[in-house]
Coordinates of all heavy atoms in Angstrom, one line a residue:
M13 N 8.2 5.3 -10.1 CA 7.4 4.2 -10.5 C 7.8 3.0 -9.7 O 9.0 2.7 -9.5 CB 7.5 3.9 -12.0 CG 6.7 2.8 -12.4 SD 6.6 2.6 -14.2 CE 5.5 3.9 -14.6
I14 N 6.8 2.3 -9.2 CA 7.0 1.0 -8.5 C 6.3 0.0 -9.4 O 5.0 -0.1 -9.4 CB 6.5 1.0 -7.1 CG1 7.2 2.1 -6.3 CG2 6.7 -0.4 -6.4 CD1 6.6 2.4 -4.9
A15 N 7.0 -0.8 -10.2 CA 6.4 -1.7 -11.2 C 7.0 -3.0 -11.3 O 8.3 -3.1 -11.2 CB 6.4 -1.0 -12.5
G16 N 6.2 -4.0 -11.6 CA 6.7 -5.4 -11.9 C 7.4 -6.1 -10.8 O 8.2 -6.9 -11.0
N17 N 7.0 -5.8 -9.5 CA 7.7 -6.5 -8.4 C 6.8 -7.6 -7.9 O 5.6 -7.7 -8.1 CB 7.9 -5.4 -7.2 CG 8.8 -4.3 -7.6 OD1 10.0 -4.5 -7.7 ND2 8.2 -3.2 -7.9
S18 N 7.5 -8.5 -7.2 CA 6.8 -9.6 -6.5 C 7.1 -9.4 -5.0 O 8.2 -9.4 -4.5 CB 7.4 -11.0 -6.9 OG 7.1 -11.2 -8.2
F19 N 6.0 -9.1 -4.2 CA 6.1 -8.8 -2.8 C 5.6 -10.1 -2.1 O 4.7 -10.7 -2.4 CB 5.2 -7.7 -2.4 CG 5.6 -6.3 -3.0 CD1 4.9 -5.7 -4.0 CD2 6.7 -5.7 -2.5 CE1 5.3 -4.5 -4.5 CE2 7.1 -4.4 -3.0 CZ 6.4 -3.9 -4.0
D20 N 6.4 -10.4 -1.0 CA 6.0 -11.5 -0.1 C 5.6 -11.0 1.2 O 6.5 -10.5 2.0 CB 7.2 -12.5 0.0 CG 7.0 -13.7 0.8 OD1 5.9 -13.8 1.4 OD2 7.8 -14.6 0.8
G21 N 4.4 -11.1 1.6 CA 3.9 -10.6 2.9 C 4.1 -11.6 4.0 O 3.7 -11.3 5.2
S22 N 4.7 -12.7 3.8 CA 4.8 -13.7 4.9 C 5.7 -13.3 6.0 O 5.6 -13.8 7.1 CB 5.3 -15.1 4.4 OG 6.5 -15.0 3.8
G23 N 6.6 -12.3 5.8 CA 7.5 -11.8 6.8 C 7.0 -10.6 7.5 O 7.7 -10.1 8.4
V24 N 5.8 -10.1 7.2 CA 5.3 -9.0 7.9 C 5.1 -9.3 9.4 O 4.4 -10.2 9.7 CB 4.0 -8.5 7.2 CG1 3.3 -7.4 8.0 CG2 4.3 -8.0 5.8
S25 N 5.7 -8.5 10.3 CA 5.8 -8.9 11.7 C 4.9 -8.1 12.6 O 4.6 -8.5 13.7 CB 7.2 -8.8 12.2 OG 7.6 -7.4 12.2
G26 N 4.4 -6.9 12.1 CA 3.7 -6.1 13.0 C 4.5 -5.2 13.9 O 4.1 -4.2 14.4
A27 N 5.8 -5.5 14.0 CA 6.8 -4.7 14.8 C 6.9 -3.4 14.1 O 7.0 -3.3 12.9 CB 8.1 -5.4 14.9
N28 N 7.0 -2.3 14.9 CA 7.2 -1.0 14.4 C 6.1 -0.6 13.4 O 6.4 0.1 12.4 CB 8.6 -0.8 13.9 CG 9.6 -1.0 14.9 OD1 9.6 -0.6 16.0 ND2 10.6 -1.9 14.5
F29 N 4.9 -1.1 13.6 CA 3.7 -0.8 12.8 C 3.8 -1.4 11.4 O 3.1 -1.0 10.5 CB 3.5 0.7 12.6 CG 3.4 1.4 14.0 CD1 4.5 2.1 14.5 CD2 2.2 1.3 14.7 CE1 4.3 2.7 15.8 CE2 2.1 1.9 15.9 CZ 3.1 2.6 16.4
A30 N 4.6 -2.4 11.2 CA 4.7 -3.1 9.9 C 3.5 -4.0 9.7 O 3.4 -5.1 10.3 CB 6.0 -4.0 9.9
D31 N 2.5 -3.6 8.9 CA 1.3 -4.3 8.7 C 0.8 -4.3 7.3 O -0.3 -4.6 7.0 CB 0.2 -3.8 9.6 CG -0.1 -2.3 9.4 OD1 0.5 -1.7 8.6 OD2 -1.1 -1.8 10.0
S32 N 1.8 -4.0 6.3 CA 1.5 -4.0 4.9 C 2.8 -4.3 4.2 O 3.9 -4.2 4.8 CB 0.9 -2.7 4.4 OG 1.8 -1.7 4.6
V33 N 2.7 -4.7 2.9 CA 3.9 -5.0 2.2 C 4.5 -3.8 1.6 O 5.7 -3.8 1.2 CB 3.7 -6.1 1.1 CG1 3.3 -7.4 1.7 CG2 2.7 -5.7 0.1
L34 N 3.7 -2.7 1.4 CA 4.2 -1.4 0.9 C 3.6 -0.3 1.6 O 2.3 -0.2 1.7 CB 3.9 -1.4 -0.6 CG 4.3 -0.1 -1.3 CD1 5.8 0.0 -1.4 CD2 3.6 0.0 -2.7
D35 N 4.4 0.6 2.2 CA 3.9 1.8 2.8 C 4.4 3.0 2.0 O 5.6 3.2 2.0 CB 4.4 2.0 4.3 CG 3.7 1.1 5.3 OD1 2.7 0.6 4.9 OD2 4.2 1.0 6.4
L36 N 3.5 3.6 1.3 CA 3.9 4.7 0.4 C 3.6 6.1 1.0 O 2.5 6.4 1.4 CB 3.1 4.6 -0.9 CG 3.5 5.5 -2.0 CD1 4.9 5.3 -2.4 CD2 2.6 5.2 -3.2
K37 N 4.7 6.8 1.1 CA 4.6 8.2 1.7 C 4.9 9.3 0.7 O 4.9 10.4 1.0 CB 5.5 8.3 2.9 CG 5.1 7.3 4.0 CD 6.2 7.2 5.1 CE 5.8 6.1 6.1 NZ 6.1 4.8 5.7
G38 N 5.2 8.8 -0.5 CA 5.6 9.8 -1.6 C 4.4 10.3 -2.3 O 3.2 9.9 -2.1
V39 N 4.6 11.2 -3.3 CA 3.5 11.8 -4.1 C 3.8 11.6 -5.5 O 4.9 11.7 -6.0 CB 3.4 13.3 -3.8 CG1 2.4 14.0 -4.7 CG2 3.1 13.6 -2.3
G40 N 2.7 11.2 -6.3 CA 2.8 11.1 -7.7 C 3.5 9.8 -8.2 O 3.9 9.7 -9.4
Y41 N 3.5 8.8 -7.4 CA 4.0 7.5 -7.8 C 3.0 6.7 -8.6 O 1.8 6.9 -8.4 CB 4.4 6.7 -6.6 CG 5.8 7.0 -6.0 CD1 5.9 8.1 -5.2 CD2 6.9 6.3 -6.4 CE1 7.2 8.4 -4.7 CE2 8.1 6.6 -5.9 CZ 8.3 7.7 -5.0 OH 9.5 8.0 -4.5
Q42 N 3.5 5.9 -9.5 CA 2.6 4.9 -10.2 C 3.0 3.6 -9.6 O 4.2 3.2 -9.7 CB 2.9 5.0 -11.7 CG 2.4 6.2 -12.3 CD 2.5 6.2 -13.8 OE1 2.2 5.1 -14.4 NE2 3.0 7.2 -14.4
V43 N 2.1 2.9 -9.1 CA 2.3 1.5 -8.5 C 1.5 0.6 -9.4 O 0.3 0.5 -9.3 CB 1.8 1.5 -7.0 CG1 2.1 0.1 -6.4 CG2 2.5 2.6 -6.2
V44 N 2.2 -0.1 -10.3 CA 1.5 -0.9 -11.3 C 2.2 -2.3 -11.5 O 3.4 -2.4 -11.4 CB 1.5 -0.1 -12.7 CG1 0.8 1.2 -12.6 CG2 2.9 0.2 -13.2
N45 N 1.3 -3.2 -11.9 CA 1.8 -4.6 -12.3 C 2.6 -5.3 -11.3 O 3.6 -5.9 -11.6 CB 2.5 -4.5 -13.6 CG 1.6 -3.9 -14.7 OD1 0.5 -4.2 -14.8 ND2 2.2 -3.1 -15.6
N46 N 2.3 -5.1 -10.0 CA 3.0 -5.8 -8.9 C 2.1 -7.0 -8.4 O 0.9 -7.0 -8.6 CB 3.2 -4.8 -7.7 CG 4.1 -3.7 -8.2 OD1 5.3 -3.9 -8.4 ND2 3.5 -2.5 -8.3
V47 N 2.8 -8.0 -7.9 CA 2.1 -9.1 -7.3 C 2.5 -9.3 -5.9 O 3.6 -9.3 -5.5 CB 2.5 -10.4 -8.1 CG1 1.8 -11.7 -7.5 CG2 2.1 -10.3 -9.6
T48 N 1.4 -9.5 -5.0 CA 1.7 -9.7 -3.6 C 1.1 -11.1 -3.2 O 0.0 -11.5 -3.6 CB 0.9 -8.7 -2.8 OG1 1.5 -7.4 -3.0 CG2 1.1 -8.9 -1.3
S49 N 2.0 -11.9 -2.5 CA 1.6 -13.2 -2.1 C 2.2 -13.4 -0.7 O 2.9 -12.5 -0.2 CB 2.1 -14.3 -3.0 OG 3.5 -14.2 -3.1
G50 N 1.9 -14.5 -0.1 CA 2.5 -14.8 1.2 C 1.7 -14.2 2.4 O 1.5 -13.0 2.4
A51 N 1.2 -15.0 3.3 CA 0.3 -14.6 4.3 C 1.1 -14.4 5.6 O 2.0 -15.1 5.9 CB -0.9 -15.5 4.5
S52 N 0.6 -13.5 6.5 CA 1.1 -13.3 7.8 C 0.0 -12.9 8.7 O -0.9 -12.2 8.3 CB 2.2 -12.2 7.8 OG 2.4 -11.8 9.2
P53 N -0.1 -13.4 10.0 CA -1.2 -13.0 10.8 C -1.2 -11.5 11.1 O -2.2 -10.9 11.5 CB -0.9 -13.7 12.1 CG 0.2 -14.6 11.9 CD 0.8 -14.3 10.6
R54 N -0.1 -10.8 10.9 CA 0.0 -9.4 11.1 C -0.2 -8.5 9.9 O -0.2 -7.3 9.9 CB 1.4 -9.0 11.6 CG 1.8 -9.7 12.9 CD 1.0 -9.1 14.0 NE 1.5 -9.7 15.3 CZ 0.9 -9.5 16.4 NH1 -0.1 -8.7 16.5 NH2 1.4 -10.0 17.5
L55 N -0.4 -9.2 8.7 CA -0.7 -8.4 7.5 C -2.1 -7.9 7.5 O -3.1 -8.7 7.5 CB -0.4 -9.4 6.3 CG -0.5 -8.8 4.9 CD1 0.6 -7.7 4.7 CD2 -0.4 -9.9 3.9
M56 N -2.2 -6.6 7.5 CA -3.5 -5.9 7.6 C -4.0 -5.5 6.1 O -5.1 -5.9 5.7 CB -3.5 -4.7 8.4 CG -4.8 -3.9 8.4 SD -6.2 -4.9 8.9 CE -6.3 -4.6 10.6
D57 N -3.2 -4.8 5.4 CA -3.5 -4.3 4.1 C -2.4 -4.7 3.1 O -1.2 -4.9 3.6 CB -3.6 -2.8 4.0 CG -4.7 -2.3 5.0 OD1 -5.9 -2.7 4.9 OD2 -4.4 -1.4 5.8
G58 N -2.7 -4.8 1.8 CA -1.6 -5.1 0.8 C -0.7 -3.9 0.8 O 0.5 -4.0 1.1
F59 N -1.2 -2.7 0.3 CA -0.5 -1.5 0.2 C -1.2 -0.4 1.0 O -2.4 -0.4 1.1 CB -0.4 -1.0 -1.3 CG 0.2 -1.9 -2.3 CD1 -0.2 -1.8 -3.6 CD2 1.1 -2.9 -1.9 CE1 0.4 -2.6 -4.6 CE2 1.6 -3.8 -2.9 CZ 1.3 -3.6 -4.2
Q60 N -0.4 0.5 1.6 CA -1.0 1.6 2.4 C -0.3 2.9 2.0 O 0.9 2.9 1.6 CB -0.7 1.4 3.9 CG -1.4 0.2 4.5 CD -1.0 0.1 6.0 OE1 0.0 0.6 6.5 NE2 -1.8 -0.8 6.7
T61 N -1.0 4.0 2.0 CA -0.4 5.3 1.9 C -0.5 6.0 3.2 O -1.4 5.7 4.0 CB -1.1 6.2 0.8 OG1 -2.4 6.5 1.2 CG2 -1.1 5.5 -0.6
H62 N 0.4 6.9 3.5 CA 0.5 7.6 4.7 C 0.9 9.0 4.5 O 1.8 9.3 3.8 CB 1.5 7.0 5.7 CG 1.2 5.6 6.1 ND1 0.2 5.3 7.0 CD2 1.7 4.4 5.6 CE1 0.2 3.9 7.1 NE2 1.0 3.4 6.3
V63 N 0.1 9.9 5.1 CA 0.4 11.4 5.1 C 1.2 11.6 6.3 O 0.8 11.4 7.4 CB -0.9 12.2 5.1 CG1 -0.5 13.7 5.2 CG2 -1.7 12.0 3.8
I64 N 2.5 12.1 6.1 CA 3.3 12.4 7.2 C 3.7 13.9 7.4 O 4.2 14.3 8.4 CB 4.7 11.5 7.2 CG1 5.4 11.8 5.9 CG2 4.4 10.1 7.4 CD1 6.8 11.2 5.8
T65 N 3.3 14.6 6.4 CA 3.5 16.1 6.4 C 2.1 16.7 6.1 O 1.3 16.9 7.0 CB 4.5 16.6 5.5 OG1 4.3 16.1 4.2 CG2 5.9 16.1 5.9
E66 N 1.8 17.0 4.9 CA 0.5 17.5 4.5 C 0.1 16.7 3.3 O 0.9 16.1 2.5 CB 0.6 19.0 4.0 CG 1.1 19.9 5.0 CD 1.3 21.3 4.5 OE1 0.8 21.6 3.3 OE2 1.8 22.2 5.2
P67 N -1.2 16.6 3.0 CA -1.7 15.8 1.8 C -1.1 16.3 0.5 O -0.8 15.5 -0.3 CB -3.2 16.0 1.9 CG -3.5 16.2 3.3 CD -2.4 17.0 3.9
A68 N -0.7 17.5 0.4 CA -0.1 18.0 -0.8 C 1.3 17.6 -1.0 O 1.8 17.6 -2.1 CB -0.2 19.6 -0.8
T69 N 2.0 17.2 0.1 CA 3.4 16.8 0.0 C 3.7 15.4 0.4 O 4.9 15.0 0.5 CB 4.2 17.8 0.8 OG1 3.8 17.8 2.2 CG2 4.1 19.2 0.3
S70 N 2.7 14.6 0.8 CA 3.0 13.3 1.4 C 1.9 12.3 1.2 O 0.8 12.6 1.8 CB 3.4 13.5 2.9 OG 3.5 12.3 3.5
G71 N 2.1 11.2 0.5 CA 1.2 10.1 0.6 C 0.0 10.1 -0.4 O -0.7 9.2 -0.4
C72 N -0.2 11.3 -1.0 CA -1.5 11.4 -1.9 C -1.1 11.5 -3.3 O 0.1 11.6 -3.7 CB -2.3 12.6 -1.4 SG -2.8 12.5 0.3
N73 N -2.1 11.5 -4.2 CA -2.0 11.6 -5.6 C -1.1 10.6 -6.3 O -0.3 10.9 -7.1 CB -1.5 13.1 -5.9 CG -2.5 14.1 -5.5 OD1 -3.7 14.0 -5.6 ND2 -1.9 15.2 -4.9
N74 N -1.3 9.4 -5.8 CA -0.5 8.2 -6.4 C -1.5 7.4 -7.2 O -2.7 7.4 -6.9 CB 0.1 7.4 -5.3 CG 1.1 8.2 -4.5 OD1 2.2 8.5 -5.1 ND2 0.9 8.4 -3.3
T75 N -1.0 6.6 -8.1 CA -1.9 5.8 -9.0 C -1.5 4.3 -8.7 O -0.4 3.9 -8.7 CB -1.6 6.1 -10.5 OG1 -1.8 7.5 -10.7 CG2 -2.4 5.2 -11.4
F76 N -2.6 3.5 -8.5 CA -2.5 2.1 -8.3 C -3.2 1.4 -9.4 O -4.4 1.6 -9.5 CB -3.0 1.7 -6.9 CG -2.3 2.3 -5.7 CD1 -2.6 3.6 -5.3 CD2 -1.3 1.6 -5.1 CE1 -1.9 4.1 -4.2 CE2 -0.6 2.1 -4.1 CZ -0.9 3.4 -3.6
R77 N -2.5 0.5 -10.2 CA -3.2 -0.1 -11.3 C -2.6 -1.4 -11.6 O -1.4 -1.7 -11.5 CB -3.0 0.9 -12.5 CG -3.8 0.5 -13.8 CD -3.6 1.5 -14.9 NE -2.3 1.5 -15.4 CZ -1.4 2.5 -15.3 NH1 -1.8 3.6 -14.7 NH2 -0.2 2.4 -15.7
N78 N -3.5 -2.4 -11.9 CA -3.1 -3.7 -12.3 C -2.2 -4.5 -11.3 O -1.3 -5.2 -11.7 CB -2.4 -3.7 -13.7 CG -3.4 -3.2 -14.8 OD1 -4.6 -3.4 -14.7 ND2 -2.8 -2.6 -15.8
N79 N -2.5 -4.3 -10.0 CA -1.7 -5.0 -9.0 C -2.6 -6.2 -8.6 O -3.8 -6.2 -8.6 CB -1.5 -4.1 -7.8 CG -0.6 -2.9 -8.2 OD1 0.6 -3.1 -8.4 ND2 -1.2 -1.8 -8.2
T80 N -1.9 -7.3 -8.4 CA -2.5 -8.6 -8.0 C -2.2 -9.0 -6.6 O -1.0 -8.9 -6.2 CB -2.0 -9.7 -9.0 OG1 -2.3 -9.3 -10.3 CG2 -2.7 -11.0 -8.7
F81 N -3.2 -9.3 -5.8 CA -3.1 -9.7 -4.4 C -3.5 -11.2 -4.3 O -4.7 -11.5 -4.3 CB -3.9 -8.8 -3.5 CG -3.4 -7.4 -3.6 CD1 -4.0 -6.5 -4.5 CD2 -2.4 -6.9 -2.8 CE1 -3.6 -5.2 -4.6 CE2 -1.9 -5.6 -2.9 CZ -2.5 -4.8 -3.8
N82 N -2.5 -12.1 -4.2 CA -2.8 -13.5 -4.1 C -2.8 -13.9 -2.6 O -2.5 -15.1 -2.3 CB -1.7 -14.3 -4.8 CG -1.8 -14.1 -6.3 OD1 -2.9 -13.9 -6.9 ND2 -0.6 -14.1 -7.0
V83 N -3.2 -13.0 -1.8 CA -3.3 -13.3 -0.4 C -4.6 -12.5 0.2 O -4.8 -11.4 -0.3 CB -2.0 -12.9 0.4 CG1 -1.7 -11.4 0.2 CG2 -2.1 -13.3 1.8
Q84 N -5.3 -13.1 1.0 CA -6.4 -12.4 1.7 C -5.9 -11.6 2.8 O -5.1 -12.0 3.6 CB -7.4 -13.5 2.2 CG -8.1 -14.3 1.1 CD -9.1 -13.4 0.3 OE1 -9.7 -12.5 0.8 NE2 -9.1 -13.7 -1.0
V85 N -6.4 -10.3 2.9 CA -6.0 -9.5 4.0 C -7.3 -9.0 4.7 O -8.3 -8.9 4.0 CB -5.2 -8.2 3.5 CG1 -3.9 -8.6 3.0 CG2 -6.0 -7.4 2.5
P86 N -7.3 -8.9 6.0 CA -8.5 -8.4 6.7 C -8.9 -7.0 6.4 O -10.0 -6.6 6.5 CB -8.1 -8.6 8.2 CG -6.6 -8.6 8.2 CD -6.2 -9.1 6.9
G87 N -7.9 -6.2 5.9 CA -8.2 -4.8 5.6 C -8.5 -4.7 4.1 O -9.4 -5.3 3.6
K88 N -7.8 -3.9 3.4 CA -8.0 -3.6 2.0 C -6.7 -3.9 1.2 O -5.6 -3.8 1.7 CB -8.3 -2.1 1.8 CG -9.6 -1.7 2.6 CD -9.8 -0.2 2.4 CE -10.8 0.4 3.3 NZ -12.1 0.0 3.2
P89 N -6.9 -4.3 -0.1 CA -5.7 -4.5 -0.9 C -4.9 -3.2 -1.0 O -3.7 -3.2 -0.9 CB -6.3 -4.8 -2.3 CG -7.6 -5.5 -1.9 CD -8.2 -4.7 -0.8
V90 N -5.6 -2.0 -1.2 CA -5.0 -0.7 -1.2 C -5.7 0.2 -0.2 O -6.9 0.5 -0.5 CB -5.0 -0.1 -2.6 CG1 -4.3 1.3 -2.6 CG2 -4.3 -1.0 -3.6
A91 N -5.0 0.6 0.8 CA -5.7 1.4 1.9 C -5.0 2.8 1.8 O -3.8 3.0 2.1 CB -5.5 0.8 3.2
L92 N -5.8 3.8 1.3 CA -5.3 5.2 1.3 C -5.5 5.9 2.6 O -6.5 5.7 3.3 CB -6.1 5.9 0.2 CG -6.0 5.5 -1.2 CD1 -6.8 6.4 -2.2 CD2 -4.5 5.4 -1.7
D93 N -4.6 6.7 3.0 CA -4.8 7.5 4.1 C -6.0 8.4 3.9 O -6.2 8.9 2.9 CB -3.5 8.5 4.3 CG -3.5 9.2 5.6 OD1 -4.4 10.0 5.8 OD2 -2.5 9.1 6.3
S94 N -6.9 8.5 4.9 CA -8.1 9.2 4.8 C -8.0 10.6 4.4 O -8.9 11.3 3.9 CB -8.9 9.1 6.1 OG -8.2 9.7 7.2
R95 N -6.8 11.2 4.7 CA -6.6 12.6 4.3 C -6.3 12.8 2.8 O -6.3 13.9 2.3 CB -5.4 13.2 5.1 CG -5.7 13.3 6.6 CD -4.6 13.5 7.5 NE -3.8 12.3 7.6 CZ -2.7 12.1 8.4 NH1 -2.3 13.2 9.1 NH2 -2.1 11.0 8.5
C96 N -6.2 11.7 2.1 CA -6.0 11.7 0.7 C -7.3 11.7 -0.1 O -7.4 11.9 -1.3 CB -5.2 10.5 0.2 SG -3.5 10.6 0.7
G97 N -8.4 11.5 0.6 CA -9.7 11.4 -0.1 C -10.4 10.1 0.1 O -10.0 9.3 1.0
I98 N -11.2 9.7 -0.8 CA -12.0 8.5 -0.8 C -11.1 7.3 -1.1 O -10.3 7.3 -2.0 CB -13.2 8.5 -1.8 CG1 -14.1 9.6 -1.4 CG2 -13.9 7.2 -1.8 CD1 -15.2 9.9 -2.5
N99 N -11.2 6.2 -0.2 CA -10.5 5.0 -0.4 C -11.1 4.3 -1.6 O -12.3 4.0 -1.7 CB -10.5 4.2 0.8 CG -9.4 3.2 0.9 OD1 -9.0 2.6 -0.1 ND2 -8.8 3.0 2.1
P100 N -10.2 3.8 -2.6 CA -10.7 3.2 -3.8 C -11.3 1.8 -3.6 O -12.0 1.3 -4.4 CB -9.5 3.1 -4.7 CG -8.4 3.0 -3.8 CD -8.8 3.8 -2.6
Q101 N -11.0 1.1 -2.5 CA -11.5 -0.3 -2.3 C -11.9 -0.5 -0.9 O -11.5 0.1 0.0 CB -10.3 -1.2 -2.6 CG -9.9 -1.0 -4.0 CD -8.7 -1.9 -4.4 OE1 -8.2 -2.7 -3.6 NE2 -8.2 -1.7 -5.6

């Protein structure tokens, strides 16, 4: 569970592909009641999932609920890896 955190995206640098405040590669996580603020020119998405092995073992089947994004991102607040299915936003 990743819950009740305050994320600051102002330090996102784009170096080494850093373009979101949370990159989730695990399975079965609940990401709830988090707040993201702070802008950076390199900030693409709020949260991202990534499949690094297979969809059954990496980055899919996670739950995102009641997260607040107090920053505009050019991408999506929650960007799911396309191998996980339909992107919710």
